[in-house]
Amino acid sequence: MLTDLGIAALWEYRSDYAAPADFDEFWTSTLDDARDHDLALHVTAVETPLRTLDVFDVTFAGFGGHPVRAWLRLPRGIEGPRPAIIQFHGYGGSRGSALQELTWASAGYAHLQIDVRGQGGVTPDPVGSGPAYPGHLTRGIDSRETYVYRRIFTDAARAVDAVRALEAVDPARVAVLGNSQGGGIALATAALVPDVAALHAQAPFLCDFRRASLIAGERPYLELTRYLADKRDAVARTFEVLSYFDGVGFAARATAPAWFSAGLMDGIVPPSTVFGAYHAYKGPKQIGVWEYNGHDAGGADDVQAVLEGFRPILRP
């Protein structure tokens, strides 16, 4: 069943989100602080049974100089700097096994798969926070300085710095992408590092927070809803904090060619929140709308469309 507006209404929908006046100043200062730390890039070869790809365990310095882990996969036997794909995973997930997510490297790209801090993988988040609803979404939400996605989005911007420092990569041909949380992180990255070459945001989470908190029927947005149900006096302050992290705000600052997608039966990320970001997006854009799909959106069909769309831009 439909979980949100119908397709005609989605095309008309515009988010009520308004960016705070110092949005850009806040993020410029945050990234400047992160870049005061040495990148501390380490790349270690990993033995695998793969015959067409080489795999490396990568560490680089993210927010606060904290180490962030990633897999790097390179197509074997291809000379010269390659275009690169940076991929971010979904909420609570991880970079997974070295033998997973082989599509992008198999298509000729250098593929950096980030392990988001403090979730299900191997990258810790050494920063504590105040009381939060179980999960990640409300961690540190008392202030913009302590909110967890300040650290995660900064890590993502530093991932672009890291992949551009690799000899195997052409720094002018770097794209960012992800599903769900990964799509939201990729969208933020495209704004924070505005010269990335392309973006794919598949059913992006972390967009249009206020609307999502009112209509989403499933986690993770229910973590925010239940947090505010208990902290009734914190509603205004919470959405003031979240205004610095909303994908609609980042969309209005990103200009790389972008591919969005939404499933109209998505109970996790309401389709209208995706359209809120899509309509605000400043660069060339298109969106895949999947009437009978949920949070998978277009799945492999999305990936095929993006592979075809990225090809003339990134030239793998």
Side-chain angles (χ1 to χ4, degrees), residues 60 68-73 84-90 94-97 100-105 109-116 155-156 159-160 163 174-186 189 198-200 202 303 310:
F60 62 91
V68 178
R69 300 280 296 279
W71 293 126
L72 172 66
R73 302 180 181 92
I85 300 293
I86 303 176
Q87 182 175 9
F88 306 98
H89 61 70
S94 74
R95 67 176 181 171
S97 163
Q100 294 175 298
E101 297 289 351
L102 305 182
T103 299
W104 294 100
Y109 296 94
H111 177 221
L112 190 72
Q113 186 176 12
I114 306 302
D115 191 71
V116 175
D155 292 346
V160 179
V163 82
V174 176
V176 291
L177 58 83
N179 168 266
S180 191
Q181 174 187 250
I185 297 172
T189 307
L199 162 70
H200 177 211
Q202 186 182 51
V303 174
F310 278 10

Side-chain angles (χ1 to χ4, degrees), residues 232-248:
R232 301 177 186 88
D233 61 346
V235 173
R237 184 187 72 232
T238 296
F239 285 107
E240 180 182 358
V241 170
L242 289 175
S243 69
Y244 291 90
F245 304 92
D246 198 304
V248 179

Side-chain angles (χ1 to χ4, degrees), residues 22 67 90 153 279 291 298:
D22 61 347
F153 291 167
H279 288 311
E291 189 175 8

Side-chain angles (χ1 to χ4, degrees), residues 139-148 150 237 241 245:
R139 188 181 300 165
I141 204 168
D142 285 339
S143 81
R144 64 183 189 174
E145 284 77 20
T146 61
Y147 189 45
V148 64
R150 182 186 184 210
R237 184 187 72 232
V241 170
F245 304 92

Side-chain angles (χ1 to χ4, degrees), residues 4-311:
D4 197 350
L5 303 175
I7 187 60
L10 290 171
W11 283 113
E12 295 297 323
Y13 173 75
R14 298 296 185 273
S15 173
D16 291 334
Y17 167 84
D22 61 347
F23 182 101
D24 297 306
E25 179 184 348
F26 170 73
W27 280 110
T28 296
S29 174
T30 295
L31 294 184
D32 285 347
D33 288 346
R35 288 176 174 138
D36 281 342
H37 296 274
D38 185 84
L39 189 57
L41 178 62
H42 298 284
V43 181
T44 304
V46 176
E47 289 191 18
T48 77
L50 300 175
R51 296 187 178 186
T52 60
L53 305 177
D54 293 317
V55 182
F56 303 84
D57 192 354
V58 173
T59 305
F60 62 91
F63 179 93
H66 306 151
V68 178
R69 300 280 296 279
W71 293 126
L72 172 66
R73 302 180 181 92
L74 297 176
R76 188 174 296 171
I78 297 181
E79 300 296 330
R82 308 301 307 150
I85 300 293
I86 303 176
Q87 182 175 9
F88 306 98
H89 61 70
Y91 189 82
S94 74
R95 67 176 181 171
S97 163
L99 302 183
Q100 294 175 298
E101 297 289 351
L102 305 182
T103 299
W104 294 100
S106 298
Y109 296 94
H111 177 221
L112 190 72
Q113 186 176 12
I114 306 302
D115 191 71
V116 175
R117 68 165 62 211
Q119 299 197 4
V122 293
T123 301
D125 183 12
V127 179
S129 70
Y133 188 85
H136 309 291
L137 189 57
T138 63
R139 188 181 300 165
I141 204 168
D142 285 339
S143 81
R144 64 183 189 174
E145 284 77 20
T146 61
Y147 189 45
V148 64
Y149 281 100
R150 182 186 184 210
R151 303 189 290 280
I152 290 172
F153 291 167
T154 302
D155 292 346
R158 289 291 271 167
V160 179
D161 297 342
V163 82
R164 284 176 165 168
L166 298 170
E167 290 184 3
V169 170
D170 178 353
R173 293 185 288 161
V174 176
V176 291
L177 58 83
N179 168 266
S180 191
Q181 174 187 250
I185 297 172
L187 176 56
T189 307
L192 296 174
V193 188
D195 61 346
V196 295
L199 162 70
H200 177 211
Q202 186 182 51
F205 179 49
L206 307 169
C207 298
D208 212 353
F209 280 112
R210 183 67 154 149
R211 178 170 175 81
S213 72
L214 295 172
I215 66 171
E218 301 180 40
R219 293 185 63 204
Y221 282 124
L222 281 184
E223 295 172 18
L224 176 60
T225 303
R226 289 168 180 168
Y227 173 85
L228 293 173
D230 187 55
K231 297 184 180 297
R232 301 177 186 88
D233 61 346
V235 173
R237 184 187 72 232
T238 296
F239 285 107
E240 180 182 358
V241 170
L242 289 175
S243 69
Y244 291 90
F245 304 92
D246 198 304
V248 179
F250 289 116
R253 290 159 171 79
T255 58
W259 283 257
F260 288 77
S261 67
L264 298 194
M265 295 187 176
D266 190 343
I268 296 172
V269 170
S272 61
T273 67
V274 178
F275 273 83
Y278 173 78
H279 288 311
Y281 195 82
K282 290 302 184 187
K285 61 192 176 185
Q286 54 185 280
I287 186 167
V289 182
W290 305 92
E291 189 175 8
Y292 288 96
N293 285 85
H295 197 48
D296 58 336
D301 289 325
D302 273 339
V303 174
Q304 180 173 341
V306 173
L307 279 164
E308 294 171 353
F310 278 10
R311 187 176 295 116

